[in-house]
Amino acid sequence: MTLGECLVALVAAAPGPLAETTVFERHVAGAEANAAVGLARLGHSVAYIGRVGNDGFGTAIVRKLRGEGVDVENLVVDDSGPTGLMIHERRALGGAHVLYYRGGSAGSRLGPADVDHAAGLFKGARWLHVTGITPALSPTARAAVERAIGLARDARLTISLDLNLRRKLWSEAEAALVFRDLAAKADVVMGDEDEVRLVTGTQDSGEVLAKALLAVGASTAIVKLGGEGAVAATASEAIRVPALDVPAVVDPVGAGDAFAAGYIAATLDGKPLDEALRAANACGAAAVTVVGDMGGLPDRNEPERLLATTPGADNLR
């Protein structure tokens, strides 16, 4: 299960500054929706809780998620706000700008009542995945995440949190307070080094940073290192897994969500931590080779094929 705001992303059809871009491709996006589709493609049943506008973009989102096999019975079509929009520039040199148009969106109106309406799903689920994006959207969206975590705890689900800091949505100071609270309630917490440093208040890196995240309350801490792979720590082990070699990064947006889907799917399949991290890296690598958040999400057999020639994990203790 997951919950959040699903967006339509208008991605520049060719590299160049946004001021000169005239043609865009439409994609469905949103961190939690990306993870949901990724899990569905990897063979797991997934339910999504959210809101979209009663407009063409909202219709496209519902059709896309349903077509990917995601349960959208609790994806509400809301007349009171539009579907959120993201404009994504593409650059051949330097970082690309991303613009959000999600203030007052249907997705930001997500609230605890939406979660309560889906409460029956928690009784049959095994896992709840949340991100640090949804709490930044509105007070009601933050309360929805809190309510979902509470229901998941009562139902004994595994809870994962992908920090996913979005500085355009809130300040680092506010995000840090919320992240620490959520991380203390989650079983698995993942993020890149900057995000994890924000939570832990340290300037450490790698394994030491993962261990610092454990001290916040998580039982499994994962630090994503981009091109260097990933590090994970539990109370009993610490593991570093190298990244896959990607000849050319076409679009990095959505790689972290693919990573999360790969890790969750492998863990639900009973894989040990090192194999779950390797699968996560493979899914993240596949995602960056295609334009759009979801286009590169692999199916069930793809991670194993990608990993066939990749080195294994290094146990750090």
Side-chain angles (χ1 to χ4, degrees), residues 72-95:
V72 293
E73 288 302 311
N74 291 281
L75 179 55
V76 176
V77 177
D78 188 342
D79 291 320
S80 61
T83 301
L85 185 65
M86 177 172 68
I87 312 295
H88 182 28
E89 180 186 61
R90 291 175 62 195
R91 291 273 192 171
L93 181 65

PDB file of all heavy atoms in Angstrom, residues 72-95:
ATOM      1  N   VAL A  72      -6.899   1.064  -7.770  1.00  0.00           N
ATOM      2  CA  VAL A  72      -7.196   2.493  -7.684  1.00  0.00           C
ATOM      3  C   VAL A  72      -8.594   2.750  -7.117  1.00  0.00           C
ATOM      4  O   VAL A  72      -9.157   3.825  -7.304  1.00  0.00           O
ATOM      5  CB  VAL A  72      -7.057   3.177  -9.064  1.00  0.00           C
ATOM      6  CG1 VAL A  72      -5.607   3.180  -9.512  1.00  0.00           C
ATOM      7  CG2 VAL A  72      -7.947   2.502 -10.110  1.00  0.00           C
ATOM      8  N   GLU A  73      -9.142   1.778  -6.389  1.00  0.00           N
ATOM      9  CA  GLU A  73     -10.473   1.965  -5.798  1.00  0.00           C
ATOM     10  C   GLU A  73     -10.486   3.132  -4.810  1.00  0.00           C
ATOM     11  O   GLU A  73     -11.532   3.727  -4.568  1.00  0.00           O
ATOM     12  CB  GLU A  73     -10.917   0.679  -5.089  1.00  0.00           C
ATOM     13  CG  GLU A  73     -11.284  -0.446  -6.032  1.00  0.00           C
ATOM     14  CD  GLU A  73     -12.405  -0.064  -6.990  1.00  0.00           C
ATOM     15  OE1 GLU A  73     -13.432   0.467  -6.513  1.00  0.00           O
ATOM     16  OE2 GLU A  73     -12.243  -0.279  -8.205  1.00  0.00           O
ATOM     17  N   ASN A  74      -9.334   3.459  -4.253  1.00  0.00           N
ATOM     18  CA  ASN A  74      -9.242   4.560  -3.293  1.00  0.00           C
ATOM     19  C   ASN A  74      -8.480   5.760  -3.855  1.00  0.00           C
ATOM     20  O   ASN A  74      -7.949   6.572  -3.104  1.00  0.00           O
ATOM     21  CB  ASN A  74      -8.599   4.065  -2.001  1.00  0.00           C
ATOM     22  CG  ASN A  74      -9.503   3.104  -1.264  1.00  0.00           C
ATOM     23  OD1 ASN A  74     -10.438   3.501  -0.583  1.00  0.00           O
ATOM     24  ND2 ASN A  74      -9.231   1.813  -1.420  1.00  0.00           N
ATOM     25  N   LEU A  75      -8.442   5.863  -5.174  1.00  0.00           N
ATOM     26  CA  LEU A  75      -7.932   7.052  -5.850  1.00  0.00           C
ATOM     27  C   LEU A  75      -9.155   7.892  -6.222  1.00  0.00           C
ATOM     28  O   LEU A  75      -9.848   7.606  -7.191  1.00  0.00           O
ATOM     29  CB  LEU A  75      -7.121   6.672  -7.082  1.00  0.00           C
ATOM     30  CG  LEU A  75      -6.545   7.819  -7.915  1.00  0.00           C
ATOM     31  CD1 LEU A  75      -5.698   8.755  -7.063  1.00  0.00           C
ATOM     32  CD2 LEU A  75      -5.706   7.271  -9.068  1.00  0.00           C
ATOM     33  N   VAL A  76      -9.420   8.915  -5.423  1.00  0.00           N
ATOM     34  CA  VAL A  76     -10.653   9.699  -5.534  1.00  0.00           C
ATOM     35  C   VAL A  76     -10.525  10.736  -6.646  1.00  0.00           C
ATOM     36  O   VAL A  76      -9.493  11.406  -6.774  1.00  0.00           O
ATOM     37  CB  VAL A  76     -10.942  10.417  -4.197  1.00  0.00           C
ATOM     38  CG1 VAL A  76     -12.165  11.325  -4.319  1.00  0.00           C
ATOM     39  CG2 VAL A  76     -11.127   9.395  -3.085  1.00  0.00           C
ATOM     40  N   VAL A  77     -11.561  10.872  -7.448  1.00  0.00           N
ATOM     41  CA  VAL A  77     -11.654  11.952  -8.431  1.00  0.00           C
ATOM     42  C   VAL A  77     -12.362  13.116  -7.746  1.00  0.00           C
ATOM     43  O   VAL A  77     -13.524  13.021  -7.354  1.00  0.00           O
ATOM     44  CB  VAL A  77     -12.416  11.507  -9.692  1.00  0.00           C
ATOM     45  CG1 VAL A  77     -12.553  12.673 -10.658  1.00  0.00           C
ATOM     46  CG2 VAL A  77     -11.694  10.341 -10.354  1.00  0.00           C
ATOM     47  N   ASP A  78     -11.627  14.226  -7.575  1.00  0.00           N
ATOM     48  CA  ASP A  78     -12.037  15.341  -6.722  1.00  0.00           C
ATOM     49  C   ASP A  78     -12.434  16.545  -7.581  1.00  0.00           C
ATOM     50  O   ASP A  78     -11.637  17.027  -8.390  1.00  0.00           O
ATOM     51  CB  ASP A  78     -10.862  15.691  -5.806  1.00  0.00           C
ATOM     52  CG  ASP A  78     -11.213  16.708  -4.737  1.00  0.00           C
ATOM     53  OD1 ASP A  78     -12.227  17.403  -4.867  1.00  0.00           O
ATOM     54  OD2 ASP A  78     -10.444  16.805  -3.762  1.00  0.00           O
ATOM     55  N   ASP A  79     -13.658  17.048  -7.389  1.00  0.00           N
ATOM     56  CA  ASP A  79     -14.131  18.208  -8.145  1.00  0.00           C
ATOM     57  C   ASP A  79     -13.593  19.530  -7.594  1.00  0.00           C
ATOM     58  O   ASP A  79     -13.732  20.570  -8.241  1.00  0.00           O
ATOM     59  CB  ASP A  79     -15.665  18.281  -8.116  1.00  0.00           C
ATOM     60  CG  ASP A  79     -16.314  17.165  -8.916  1.00  0.00           C
ATOM     61  OD1 ASP A  79     -15.785  16.853 -10.004  1.00  0.00           O
ATOM     62  OD2 ASP A  79     -17.320  16.600  -8.462  1.00  0.00           O
ATOM     63  N   SER A  80     -12.976  19.504  -6.410  1.00  0.00           N
ATOM     64  CA  SER A  80     -12.629  20.757  -5.737  1.00  0.00           C
ATOM     65  C   SER A  80     -11.229  21.275  -6.047  1.00  0.00           C
ATOM     66  O   SER A  80     -10.853  22.356  -5.591  1.00  0.00           O
ATOM     67  CB  SER A  80     -12.779  20.590  -4.219  1.00  0.00           C
ATOM     68  OG  SER A  80     -11.901  19.585  -3.736  1.00  0.00           O
ATOM     69  N   GLY A  81     -10.444  20.539  -6.816  1.00  0.00           N
ATOM     70  CA  GLY A  81      -9.101  20.994  -7.145  1.00  0.00           C
ATOM     71  C   GLY A  81      -8.586  20.312  -8.399  1.00  0.00           C
ATOM     72  O   GLY A  81      -9.014  19.206  -8.734  1.00  0.00           O
ATOM     73  N   PRO A  82      -7.655  20.946  -9.102  1.00  0.00           N
ATOM     74  CA  PRO A  82      -7.113  20.354 -10.328  1.00  0.00           C
ATOM     75  C   PRO A  82      -6.058  19.295 -10.036  1.00  0.00           C
ATOM     76  O   PRO A  82      -5.522  19.214  -8.929  1.00  0.00           O
ATOM     77  CB  PRO A  82      -6.471  21.561 -11.031  1.00  0.00           C
ATOM     78  CG  PRO A  82      -6.017  22.421  -9.880  1.00  0.00           C
ATOM     79  CD  PRO A  82      -7.067  22.271  -8.814  1.00  0.00           C
ATOM     80  N   THR A  83      -5.755  18.501 -11.020  1.00  0.00           N
ATOM     81  CA  THR A  83      -4.642  17.565 -10.928  1.00  0.00           C
ATOM     82  C   THR A  83      -3.327  18.340 -10.909  1.00  0.00           C
ATOM     83  O   THR A  83      -3.138  19.295 -11.666  1.00  0.00           O
ATOM     84  CB  THR A  83      -4.658  16.606 -12.131  1.00  0.00           C
ATOM     85  OG1 THR A  83      -5.909  15.906 -12.146  1.00  0.00           O
ATOM     86  CG2 THR A  83      -3.513  15.612 -12.061  1.00  0.00           C
ATOM     87  N   GLY A  84      -2.422  17.936 -10.022  1.00  0.00           N
ATOM     88  CA  GLY A  84      -1.124  18.593  -9.932  1.00  0.00           C
ATOM     89  C   GLY A  84      -0.313  18.417 -11.209  1.00  0.00           C
ATOM     90  O   GLY A  84      -0.455  17.419 -11.934  1.00  0.00           O
ATOM     91  N   LEU A  85       0.549  19.402 -11.456  1.00  0.00           N
ATOM     92  CA  LEU A  85       1.321  19.425 -12.706  1.00  0.00           C
ATOM     93  C   LEU A  85       2.794  19.672 -12.408  1.00  0.00           C
ATOM     94  O   LEU A  85       3.150  20.477 -11.543  1.00  0.00           O
ATOM     95  CB  LEU A  85       0.780  20.538 -13.612  1.00  0.00           C
ATOM     96  CG  LEU A  85       1.350  20.667 -15.020  1.00  0.00           C
ATOM     97  CD1 LEU A  85       1.016  19.444 -15.858  1.00  0.00           C
ATOM     98  CD2 LEU A  85       0.793  21.930 -15.681  1.00  0.00           C
ATOM     99  N   MET A  86       3.649  18.974 -13.138  1.00  0.00           N
ATOM    100  CA  MET A  86       5.091  19.166 -13.038  1.00  0.00           C
ATOM    101  C   MET A  86       5.639  19.424 -14.439  1.00  0.00           C
ATOM    102  O   MET A  86       5.303  18.700 -15.386  1.00  0.00           O
ATOM    103  CB  MET A  86       5.756  17.928 -12.428  1.00  0.00           C
ATOM    104  CG  MET A  86       7.271  17.998 -12.339  1.00  0.00           C
ATOM    105  SD  MET A  86       7.986  16.611 -11.415  1.00  0.00           S
ATOM    106  CE  MET A  86       7.652  15.237 -12.530  1.00  0.00           C
ATOM    107  N   ILE A  87       6.456  20.466 -14.580  1.00  0.00           N
ATOM    108  CA  ILE A  87       7.115  20.767 -15.855  1.00  0.00           C
ATOM    109  C   ILE A  87       8.580  20.406 -15.703  1.00  0.00           C
ATOM    110  O   ILE A  87       9.258  20.884 -14.786  1.00  0.00           O
ATOM    111  CB  ILE A  87       6.990  22.263 -16.219  1.00  0.00           C
ATOM    112  CG1 ILE A  87       5.547  22.739 -16.069  1.00  0.00           C
ATOM    113  CG2 ILE A  87       7.515  22.501 -17.626  1.00  0.00           C
ATOM    114  CD1 ILE A  87       4.579  22.103 -17.016  1.00  0.00           C
ATOM    115  N   HIS A  88       9.071  19.580 -16.600  1.00  0.00           N
ATOM    116  CA  HIS A  88      10.417  19.042 -16.461  1.00  0.00           C
ATOM    117  C   HIS A  88      11.270  19.426 -17.667  1.00  0.00           C
ATOM    118  O   HIS A  88      11.037  18.983 -18.787  1.00  0.00           O
ATOM    119  CB  HIS A  88      10.327  17.520 -16.318  1.00  0.00           C
ATOM    120  CG  HIS A  88      11.642  16.828 -16.121  1.00  0.00           C
ATOM    121  ND1 HIS A  88      12.733  17.415 -15.539  1.00  0.00           N
ATOM    122  CD2 HIS A  88      12.020  15.563 -16.431  1.00  0.00           C
ATOM    123  CE1 HIS A  88      13.729  16.552 -15.498  1.00  0.00           C
ATOM    124  NE2 HIS A  88      13.324  15.427 -16.044  1.00  0.00           N
ATOM    125  N   GLU A  89      12.249  20.259 -17.427  1.00  0.00           N
ATOM    126  CA  GLU A  89      13.219  20.642 -18.450  1.00  0.00           C
ATOM    127  C   GLU A  89      14.220  19.514 -18.660  1.00  0.00           C
ATOM    128  O   GLU A  89      14.444  18.700 -17.765  1.00  0.00           O
ATOM    129  CB  GLU A  89      13.946  21.905 -17.956  1.00  0.00           C
ATOM    130  CG  GLU A  89      14.996  22.473 -18.871  1.00  0.00           C
ATOM    131  CD  GLU A  89      15.742  23.614 -18.201  1.00  0.00           C
ATOM    132  OE1 GLU A  89      16.377  23.371 -17.145  1.00  0.00           O
ATOM    133  OE2 GLU A  89      15.695  24.736 -18.708  1.00  0.00           O
ATOM    134  N   ARG A  90      14.811  19.442 -19.848  1.00  0.00           N
ATOM    135  CA  ARG A  90      15.895  18.497 -20.101  1.00  0.00           C
ATOM    136  C   ARG A  90      17.127  19.272 -20.529  1.00  0.00           C
ATOM    137  O   ARG A  90      17.046  20.208 -21.326  1.00  0.00           O
ATOM    138  CB  ARG A  90      15.495  17.495 -21.191  1.00  0.00           C
ATOM    139  CG  ARG A  90      14.411  16.528 -20.763  1.00  0.00           C
ATOM    140  CD  ARG A  90      13.982  15.640 -21.913  1.00  0.00           C
ATOM    141  NE  ARG A  90      15.079  14.818 -22.401  1.00  0.00           N
ATOM    142  CZ  ARG A  90      15.063  14.167 -23.570  1.00  0.00           C
ATOM    143  NH1 ARG A  90      14.003  14.264 -24.359  1.00  0.00           N
ATOM    144  NH2 ARG A  90      16.092  13.453 -23.954  1.00  0.00           N
ATOM    145  N   ARG A  91      18.263  18.891 -19.966  1.00  0.00           N
ATOM    146  CA  ARG A  91      19.519  19.565 -20.265  1.00  0.00           C
ATOM    147  C   ARG A  91      20.586  18.544 -20.641  1.00  0.00           C
ATOM    148  O   ARG A  91      20.713  17.500 -20.011  1.00  0.00           O
ATOM    149  CB  ARG A  91      20.007  20.345 -19.043  1.00  0.00           C
ATOM    150  CG  ARG A  91      19.149  21.552 -18.691  1.00  0.00           C
ATOM    151  CD  ARG A  91      19.595  22.771 -19.464  1.00  0.00           C
ATOM    152  NE  ARG A  91      18.979  23.981 -18.949  1.00  0.00           N
ATOM    153  CZ  ARG A  91      19.330  25.199 -19.329  1.00  0.00           C
ATOM    154  NH1 ARG A  91      20.271  25.361 -20.236  1.00  0.00           N
ATOM    155  NH2 ARG A  91      18.728  26.252 -18.833  1.00  0.00           N
ATOM    156  N   ALA A  92      21.348  18.841 -21.647  1.00  0.00           N
ATOM    157  CA  ALA A  92      22.478  17.996 -22.008  1.00  0.00           C
ATOM    158  C   ALA A  92      23.681  18.307 -21.132  1.00  0.00           C
ATOM    159  O   ALA A  92      24.579  17.486 -20.963  1.00  0.00           O
ATOM    160  CB  ALA A  92      22.842  18.196 -23.474  1.00  0.00           C
ATOM    161  N   LEU A  93      23.707  19.516 -20.546  1.00  0.00           N
ATOM    162  CA  LEU A  93      24.811  19.945 -19.697  1.00  0.00           C
ATOM    163  C   LEU A  93      24.241  20.618 -18.467  1.00  0.00           C
ATOM    164  O   LEU A  93      23.439  21.553 -18.562  1.00  0.00           O
ATOM    165  CB  LEU A  93      25.717  20.927 -20.454  1.00  0.00           C
ATOM    166  CG  LEU A  93      26.948  21.456 -19.713  1.00  0.00           C
ATOM    167  CD1 LEU A  93      27.915  20.312 -19.418  1.00  0.00           C
ATOM    168  CD2 LEU A  93      27.645  22.540 -20.547  1.00  0.00           C
ATOM    169  N   GLY A  94      24.618  20.138 -17.282  1.00  0.00           N
ATOM    170  CA  GLY A  94      24.125  20.733 -16.049  1.00  0.00           C
ATOM    171  C   GLY A  94      22.775  20.180 -15.642  1.00  0.00           C
ATOM    172  O   GLY A  94      22.128  19.429 -16.371  1.00  0.00           O
ATOM    173  N   GLY A  95      22.344  20.563 -14.438  1.00  0.00           N
ATOM    174  CA  GLY A  95      21.080  20.081 -13.900  1.00  0.00           C
ATOM    175  C   GLY A  95      19.883  20.681 -14.612  1.00  0.00           C
ATOM    176  O   GLY A  95      19.915  21.817 -15.085  1.00  0.00           O
TER     177      GLY A  95
END
